[in-house]
Amino acid sequence: VAKHDLPSAGAGHSGGGRGVVLEVKENTEPSEPLLDIYVPEGQQVTLGPSSTPFAFKIQGTQLFLNVTPDYEENTVLQAHLECLRGDTVVTQLRVLVSVLDINDNPPVFPFAVKVEKVPEDTKVNTTVIPETQLEAQDQDQDDTLFYTLQEVTPGASSFFSLVGVNRPALQLDQPLDFDRLPNMTFHLLVRDTQEEDAVPSHTAQATLVLEVQPADLRPPWFLPCVYADLSVCVQAQYYGAINTSQTHPTCLLYTSPS
């Protein structure tokens, strides 16, 4: 925090246009004085009515912060100093303290666990969950968030991925198979610094559960079947006997069950 000596204002001068601009990082403990104030004999200095409430205090002839500044609460604090002779304002000074943002807040996901149902016949490259539903929020204005998708279910990362490291939309990378993997779980991680070992750095984690919904992907077939797997009928055979000596009095009709 810079320290300033203020000159005395001559009698009859308001000094209304004068001002000082200081910078202080948020979370700075208010221990050092912001300003040294020269007060002429017979005058006293006080905080004027336009000062930020409870933000400053005057001890002797020094101006101090009275609060720990928080960028997310106030980006600018104002001290309106008035030199008085009796009840008359002789001179005044406005001190603006610009609060600098630092990385002191972690990112936060809007959910702890998110369950999403995904149809088995979803096309590859489809965005399964949009970015707006997965992105975390960070109160620090200048932070860029970096996302990572970690599989919990073995093999799940071959099916899904994020669109980008800064874009947490979830997309499908290969066709789904309900019989192989009906459910897949991931951890979605976010960090507010590019380097993991940066100081300060904050992280958050949420869980994604993808539930594959079975779809009719099989071709039509006659039953009974001999199955090569759970999806493909490789042989259909029917056995029966027909009495060729009998004649039915009416036509035979076949009605589809559908």
Side-chain angles (χ1 to χ4, degrees):
V1 177
K3 183 177 180 180
H4 292 256
D5 293 316
L6 300 185
S8 169
H13 292 76
S14 67
R18 299 196 307 165
V20 174
V21 178
L22 306 175
E23 291 182 342
V24 59
K25 292 182 178 180
E26 67 172 325
N27 302 332
T28 300
E29 292 298 327
S31 58
E32 297 295 325
L34 295 173
L35 292 173
D36 288 331
I37 308 167
Y38 174 74
V39 182
E41 186 177 351
Q43 299 180 20
Q44 62 275 358
V45 64
T46 186
L47 289 168
S50 62
S51 300
T52 303
F54 312 112
F56 299 93
K57 64 182 178 181
I58 296 174
Q59 291 183 346
T61 58
Q62 291 182 317
L63 178 68
F64 289 82
L65 280 172
N66 194 43
V67 296
T68 301
D70 185 346
Y71 179 88
E72 286 71 39
E73 182 176 336
N74 279 308
T75 59
V76 176
L77 304 173
Q78 175 177 272
H80 178 201
L81 302 180
E82 293 181 337
C83 275
L84 304 175
R85 182 182 290 115
D87 294 331
T88 303
V89 177
V90 177
T91 186
Q92 57 186 334
L93 178 74
R94 296 186 184 276
V95 180
L96 297 180
V97 178
S98 177
V99 181
L100 304 180
D101 188 25
I102 66 172
N103 184 13
D104 64 336
N105 291 288
V108 178
F109 283 110
F111 57 89
V113 178
K114 185 175 182 62
V115 179
E116 190 75 12
K117 299 181 184 300
V118 184
E120 186 181 12
D121 56 357
T122 300
K123 301 298 183 183
V124 171
N125 296 326
T126 296
T127 298
V128 176
I129 307 178
E131 180 178 347
T132 54
Q133 294 185 22
L134 295 181
E135 61 186 354
Q137 301 298 319
D138 194 323
Q139 293 183 359
D140 297 321
Q141 300 298 313
D142 297 329
D143 280 359
T144 300
L145 300 182
F146 298 85
Y147 296 87
T148 304
L149 190 67
Q150 294 182 347
E151 69 173 36
V152 176
T153 303
S157 59
S158 63
F159 289 90
F160 295 97
S161 66
L162 298 179
V163 171
V165 67
N166 304 120
R167 295 188 56 198
L170 189 71
Q171 68 180 9
L172 181 64
D173 293 333
Q174 69 167 309
L176 295 169
D177 187 337
F178 173 80
D179 297 315
R180 176 184 170 191
L181 283 176
N183 295 283
M184 286 173 266
T185 301
F186 294 89
H187 285 157
L188 180 61
L189 289 81
V190 62
R191 188 175 63 250
D192 60 9
T193 58
Q194 186 169 7
E195 297 80 16
E196 293 185 17
D197 57 353
V199 178
S201 180
H202 307 92
T203 61
Q205 177 179 297
T207 300
L208 297 179
V209 179
L210 287 306
E211 296 182 347
V212 180
Q213 302 300 295
D216 185 7
L217 303 177
R218 299 178 298 182
W221 57 50
F222 291 104
L223 296 177
C225 281
V226 176
Y227 293 97
D229 54 31
L230 296 179
S231 301
V232 180
C233 174
V234 296
Q235 184 180 14
Q237 296 180 355
Y238 291 84
Y239 300 93
I242 298 176
N243 189 341
T244 58
S245 64
Q246 290 183 348
T247 301
H248 199 276
T250 60
C251 296
L252 296 178
L253 300 178
Y254 172 75
T255 302
S256 171
S258 61

